[in-house]
Amino acid sequence: MVRKPTLVAGVDSSTQSCTVVVRDAGTGALRRTGRASHPDGTEVDPEVWWDALQAAVAAAGGLDDVAAVSVAGQQHGMVVLDADGEVIRPALLWNDTRSARAAEDLIAELEPGDAHRPGPTAADRGGGSGRAAGRTAGAGRAPDRAVDLAAGRAAWAAATGSVPVASFTVTKLRWLADHEPGNAARVAAVALPHDWLTWRLAGSPGLDRLVTDRSEASGTGYFDTARGTYRRDLLGLALRRDDAARIVLPRVLRAGEAAGTGDPGLGLGHLVLGPGAGDNAAAALGLGMGPGDVAISIGTSGVVSAVSPHPVADDSGMVAGFADATGAFLPMAVTLNASRVLDVVGRLLGVDHGELSALALAAAPGAAGLTLVPYLEGERTPNLPGATGSLLGLTLASATRENLARAAVEAVLCGLADGLAALEDVGAPVERVRVIGGGARSEAVRRIAPTVLGRPVQVPEPGEYAADGAARQAAWALAGTVDPPSWRPAPSRTYDGEPARHVRERYAEVRHRHVASPHAR
């Protein structure tokens, strides 16, 4: 009798959609997939994620024959719950920049002495138990007091591994405290998108059953990534509350630890639930990344991430010192503007992505001096949430469709090249660079990337790497082993080209001029 393979499912609940993959737990072979869209916007009712997850599961053939599932999700999104487990208000997503002022205030309010305050006890690594956080740092302080911001950035980097920007959950909680104090006072638990979806799969069994993993916790802004503990004093600082010890935070599971089982009432009682992960950490797991590997993901955002055996703390704020899904670390530089820059320029030119790629490749490197500063939604790296984009170097000679297409591709890649350089500056090992995401489907991106980055790049065949990583994590939780299962990596193609240093130099020159201009502040 031939034994049927054990199947596992991975979920990627991203900004734009929910994707489900079903794979063989032993080999990683893909069996089936499903997808459902999410609505546009930066403020979303989490219930639509749950609806999309159910639709994507149905499109993937259901979970009746699946043994385990794990959820990867967009990072940083703020899901606040009341004492009954009800969502208090729509979630604020990572790309909602209304909390930019809150980020600046939090940086100003943290004093150097607060950076090394004792962390919570082992009992307080999640859940609502544990000792009180002591005084709430910043309680009663005026948010506009004069403080050395450089010292504040250093204090945050020492405390959490990262300097808060508008994307982080901690800044959104401060925005909530300042603009919706009634809602802030009702907060009994704070979760991130993947935490909440895993909890829903378990049947919403009570706030004390919320779970997460290090990769997601490290992106909140109130988690000490190096030590693996929550910083409730920083949570209290954000919410302007002195009872932060009473707020439930998801219990941080070990890498590969099972989160429990699915809800029998939903027909999911047979499922082992994995801990889940942030989308970039899941993608790293799906790619099989190890120390020295770098992934450049070109999607809604642009992400440069490197697996490091050691924690990273960058007080410039260029690099966020996150954790990965295996027990290592995942320092990361993120741009808000990536594939949608190509979308916009394509619409302006009236062409699809294939035609935009052909136009870009028809232009010479440097686009005859035409340079796009692509801060169409503000920017995170560098931290300029109020910035707008600029098109510079427009002349009779440079004003062609081909040059505009080339300038768009080069702009996206120059921003990511800055992120890669920042990772190297903080000591992250960089040996092999892979380009993934929707933007990597562009032939122009693949061919221009090595000329802008100044090194060869590998482009794996297109795939749903965050969902794949979640599926691999589900197989890991099911097996209960020390290490994740070994799955065959996706085949890739290497691209190389002559470095075009003048492109980076020109971009750096106009970006510096742009950053110094009044409208960028």
Side-chain angles (χ1 to χ4, degrees), residues 289-295 304-314 319-322 329-333 419-433 455:
M289 288 172 58
D293 287 334
V294 173
V304 187
S305 57
V307 175
S308 172
H310 308 294
V312 166
D314 176 23
V319 175
F322 294 160
F329 299 89
L330 196 72
M332 186 183 303
L420 181 61
L423 285 176
E424 291 183 289
D425 287 345
V426 298
V430 177
E431 298 174 7
R432 177 173 56 173
V433 176
R455 66 183 72 218

Side-chain angles (χ1 to χ4, degrees), residues 8-377:
V8 293
V11 178
D12 175 20
S13 183
S14 72
T15 313
Q16 297 176 315
S17 63
C18 181
T19 301
V20 174
V21 300
V22 176
R23 290 186 173 272
D24 185 302
T27 67
L30 180 64
R31 298 304 182 191
R32 53 187 193 262
T33 65
R35 184 180 181 278
S37 295
H38 287 158
D40 291 332
T42 63
E43 185 176 23
V44 176
D45 180 354
E47 200 65 32
V48 304
W49 300 332
W50 178 246
D51 293 342
L53 173 57
Q54 294 181 87
V57 164
L63 299 176
D64 289 349
D65 58 346
V66 171
V69 63
S70 195
V71 181
Q74 54 180 301
Q75 290 189 269
H76 310 305
M78 180 193 75
V79 182
V80 285
L81 306 174
D82 66 16
D84 296 321
E86 297 296 324
V87 175
I88 293 172
R89 67 162 339 272
L92 297 183
L93 306 191
W94 63 272
N95 54 352
D96 192 306
T97 59
R98 73 183 73 179
S99 55
R101 174 58 188 271
E104 185 175 312
D105 290 345
L106 286 168
I107 292 170
E109 292 169 19
L110 191 67
E111 297 175 347
D114 292 326
H116 301 290
R117 294 187 59 205
T121 62
D124 195 36
R125 298 189 181 207
S129 61
R131 64 176 178 82
R135 70 170 177 86
T136 300
R141 299 177 189 171
D144 59 347
R145 65 187 178 91
V147 169
D148 184 346
L149 288 176
R153 287 192 292 270
W156 277 97
T160 68
S162 303
V163 178
V165 293
S167 299
F168 285 20
T169 318
V170 71
T171 69
K172 300 178 189 307
L173 291 173
R174 168 54 69 86
W175 180 91
L176 186 71
D178 287 347
H179 293 83
E180 299 177 5
N183 283 336
R186 294 175 56 204
V187 173
V190 184
L192 279 76
H194 112 250
D195 310 336
W196 186 80
L197 285 170
T198 301
W199 187 65
R200 288 295 303 269
L201 287 169
S204 309
L207 296 181
D208 61 342
R209 295 282 298 279
L210 283 164
V211 296
T212 192
D213 84 310
R214 290 169 62 252
S215 71
E216 278 285 60
S218 66
T220 60
Y222 44 85
F223 184 79
D224 184 334
T225 303
R227 296 171 181 81
T229 57
Y230 281 119
R231 287 289 302 261
R232 289 184 176 272
D233 55 316
L234 302 181
L235 179 68
L237 172 64
L239 280 170
R240 300 190 185 279
R241 285 174 53 172
D242 59 7
D243 62 345
R246 297 177 57 189
I247 297 173
V248 177
L249 297 175
R251 182 167 61 92
V252 182
L253 301 179
R254 300 185 307 276
E257 181 181 357
T261 57
D263 179 17
L266 297 174
L268 305 177
H270 64 289
L271 283 175
V272 170
L273 301 178
D279 50 1
N280 292 295
L285 186 60
L287 287 166
M289 288 172 58
D293 287 334
V294 173
I296 296 180
S297 177
I298 307 175
T300 304
S301 62
V303 179
V304 187
S305 57
V307 175
S308 172
H310 308 294
V312 166
D314 176 23
D315 60 14
S316 78
M318 287 284 286
V319 175
F322 294 160
D324 81 343
T326 70
F329 299 89
L330 196 72
M332 186 183 303
V334 181
T335 65
L336 291 182
N337 300 278
S339 63
R340 284 191 287 193
V341 175
L342 307 182
D343 295 341
V344 167
V345 173
R347 287 200 300 271
L348 287 174
L349 294 175
V351 297
D352 62 20
H353 282 283
E355 294 166 323
L356 182 73
S357 177
L359 285 171
L361 290 172
L370 191 63
T371 302
L372 175 65
V373 180
Y375 301 161
L376 306 186
E377 293 187 293

